[in-house]
């Protein structure tokens, strides 16, 4: 059995630069360029135990494609094809299937390796996939009862400051600072506004709200938000149920007087928000649309909704 970390059980093996190796052998040099300058890309992917006892990765193909797109945006050349990266994720889990019988969190990452230093350096790209057992990112209680959020003093970076379609390692310093500020102030999560003052996203999640007229809204992709795969899943769930979702901008005070708010992301899954800036959201409990999305999401990832079967890759 592998040892455990603060995140729970970790993989006994990792995939690094084309081969499986023991976890403790996955080293990079101190002079790795990405360590100094933050030039790398990553993904977060979940595998779930399905209703029939199998293990399935959720929307693996879409995550691998976004990893490659992110790398292309920052001109980082990954020396593996989409299929090779797809197979690396599958083979890593297959090699230790018993260890992750109840599910796993996968972390593919690609970054500029060691060699030359300086901002203009171009070194070989290192590519890896790791896995561990990671529970609800914002806590099981948060999933069930909702969390407390704070609008951050940090602004989500402008589209001319960062590449918002890329899941780029160095850009997450912005989110880390916002998250730490919120947690130190006694909240669970931060909500960042864009440079114009409109709601953008949380530190690591997209955001949805349901106003008092029952209209579901989420910030548009024309703003500085990540094109979240879980966000896309939620849009499918809602629209396939006949509900209309408006992808529009809205202000922070719209959150204060709305009926429901929830965050979504691979790590956070579907997490309700019960309070923003010390203002209770409606009755302070997850609302009916949030509960519907939660229920459908977990049914889908557990293989209980045949119409979404193509989103699952069984191990």
């Amino acid at each position: 059995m592998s040892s455990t970390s603060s995140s729970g059980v970790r993989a006994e093996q990792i995939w690094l630069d084309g081969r499986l190796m023991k976890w403790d052998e996955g080293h990079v040099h101190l002079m790795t360029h990405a360590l100094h300058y933050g030039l790398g890309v990553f993904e977060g992917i979940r595998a779930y135990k399905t209703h029939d006892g199998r293990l399935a990765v959720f929307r693996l193909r879409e995550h691998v494609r976004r990893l490659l797109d992110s790398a292309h945006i920052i001109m980082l050349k990954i020396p593996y094809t989409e299929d090779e990266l797809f197979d690396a994720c599958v083979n890593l889990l297959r090699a230790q299937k018993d260890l992750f019988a109840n599910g796993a969190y996968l972390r593919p990452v690609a970054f500029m390796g060691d060699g030359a230093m300086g901002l203009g350096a171009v070194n070989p790209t290192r590519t890896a996939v790791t896995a561990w057992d990671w529970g609800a990112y914002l806590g099981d209680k948060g999933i069930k009862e909702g969390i407390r959020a704070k609008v951050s003093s940090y602004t989500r970076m402008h589209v001319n400051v960062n590449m918002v379609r890329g899941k780029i390692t160095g850009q997450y310093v912005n989110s880390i600072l916002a998250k730490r500020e919120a947690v130190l102030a006694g909240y669970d999560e931060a909500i960042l506004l864009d440079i114009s003052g409109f709601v953008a996203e949380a530190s690591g999640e997209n955001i949805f709200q349901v106003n008092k007229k029952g209209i579901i809204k989420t910030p548009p992709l024309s703003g500085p938000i990540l094109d979240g795969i879980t966000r896309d899943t939620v849009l499918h769930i809602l629209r396939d149920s006949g509900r209309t979702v408006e992808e529009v901008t809205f202000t922070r005070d719209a959150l204060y007087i709305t009926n429901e708010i929830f965050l979504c992301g691979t790590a956070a899954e579907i997490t309700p928000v019960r309070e923003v800036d010390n203002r209770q959201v409606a009755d302070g409990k997850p609302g009916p649309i949030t509960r519907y999305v939660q229920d459908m999401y977990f049914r889908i990832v557990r293989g209980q909704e045949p119409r979404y079967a193509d989103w699952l890759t069984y191990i």
Side-chain angles (χ1 to χ4, degrees):
M1 189 70 168
S2 70
S3 60
T4 58
S5 68
S6 60
S7 300
V9 177
R10 70 186 189 191
E12 294 175 344
Q13 295 176 298
I14 65 168
W15 184 91
L16 177 62
D17 295 334
R19 67 185 182 92
L20 288 173
M21 62 182 66
K22 292 181 180 179
W23 178 283
D24 291 334
E25 294 176 355
H27 301 301
V28 295
H29 197 274
L30 180 62
M31 296 303 287
T32 294
H33 191 278
L35 177 63
H36 296 257
Y37 301 116
L39 196 71
V41 297
F42 73 99
E43 281 294 321
I45 310 170
R46 279 196 188 270
Y48 289 87
K49 182 179 181 179
T50 58
H51 70 103
D52 56 2
R54 292 187 287 172
L55 186 68
V57 188
F58 185 58
R59 302 195 71 172
L60 176 58
R61 184 67 65 178
E62 290 90 336
H63 279 286
V64 171
R65 287 172 180 162
R66 188 172 66 180
L67 181 77
L68 290 167
D69 284 345
S70 296
H72 183 69
I73 286 170
I74 63 171
M75 302 177 73
L76 185 73
K77 293 184 178 181
I78 296 181
Y80 300 98
T81 66
E82 179 184 314
D83 286 340
E84 287 172 330
L85 292 170
F86 183 95
D87 290 343
C89 293
V90 170
N91 292 336
L92 178 67
L93 289 181
R94 190 168 287 160
Q96 43 213 331
K97 188 175 180 181
D98 293 341
L99 188 62
F100 295 119
N102 293 317
Y105 182 89
L106 284 163
R107 172 54 57 87
V109 60
F111 53 94
M112 187 176 289
D114 58 294
M117 270 293 155
L119 300 180
V122 180
N123 300 329
T125 300
R126 307 293 303 274
T127 313
V129 183
T130 58
W132 65 89
D133 176 18
W134 203 4
Y137 177 65
L138 292 168
D140 291 331
K141 185 177 180 180
I143 289 277
K144 295 175 183 177
E145 300 178 10
I147 63 163
R148 299 178 66 241
K150 176 186 185 299
V151 173
S152 180
S153 68
Y154 293 94
T155 300
R156 173 69 172 162
M157 291 180 285
H158 188 264
V159 294
N160 281 340
V161 174
N162 69 338
M163 301 290 100
V164 297
R165 292 295 170 268
K167 199 168 175 67
I168 300 162
T169 58
Q171 293 181 174
Y172 275 77
V173 172
N174 181 235
S175 292
I176 290 169
L177 292 172
K179 176 78 172 185
R180 286 185 176 176
E181 176 188 59
V183 171
L184 288 171
Y187 299 85
D188 302 301
E189 183 56 291
I191 295 173
L192 288 83
L193 308 179
D194 66 21
I195 197 170
S196 298
F198 294 106
V199 173
E201 59 183 31
S203 70
E205 306 88 20
N206 292 113
I207 187 168
F208 284 76
Q209 61 128 324
V210 185
N211 70 16
K212 290 179 179 177
K213 295 180 180 179
I215 300 171
I216 307 165
K217 298 183 179 184
T218 193
L221 293 179
S222 57
I225 69 169
L226 183 71
D227 186 1
I229 290 169
T230 310
R231 176 187 183 275
D232 180 72
T233 300
V234 170
L235 289 172
H236 274 86
I237 289 171
L238 291 169
R239 288 168 176 164
D240 289 349
S241 71
R243 294 174 171 89
T244 300
V245 186
E246 295 183 359
E247 297 180 64
V248 295
T249 58
F250 50 86
T251 56
R252 77 170 80 184
D253 53 359
L255 295 179
Y256 297 162
I257 57 174
T258 198
N259 270 5
E260 299 182 47
I261 304 171
F262 64 87
L263 308 179
C264 66
T266 296
E269 298 165 314
I270 311 298
T271 300
V273 178
R274 59 184 171 85
E275 185 180 306
V276 178
D277 290 347
N278 302 308
R279 294 161 175 86
Q280 181 175 288
V281 178
D283 63 0
K285 298 177 182 178
I289 291 179
T290 301
R291 287 300 189 202
Y292 173 78
V293 172
Q294 274 189 331
D295 180 65
M296 279 298 296
Y297 179 81
F298 286 116
R299 285 183 59 81
I300 290 168
V301 299
R302 291 167 183 155
Q304 294 171 292
E305 291 292 332
R307 59 181 164 168
Y308 301 107
D310 289 347
W311 282 346
L312 300 177
T313 299
Y314 286 90
I315 303 302

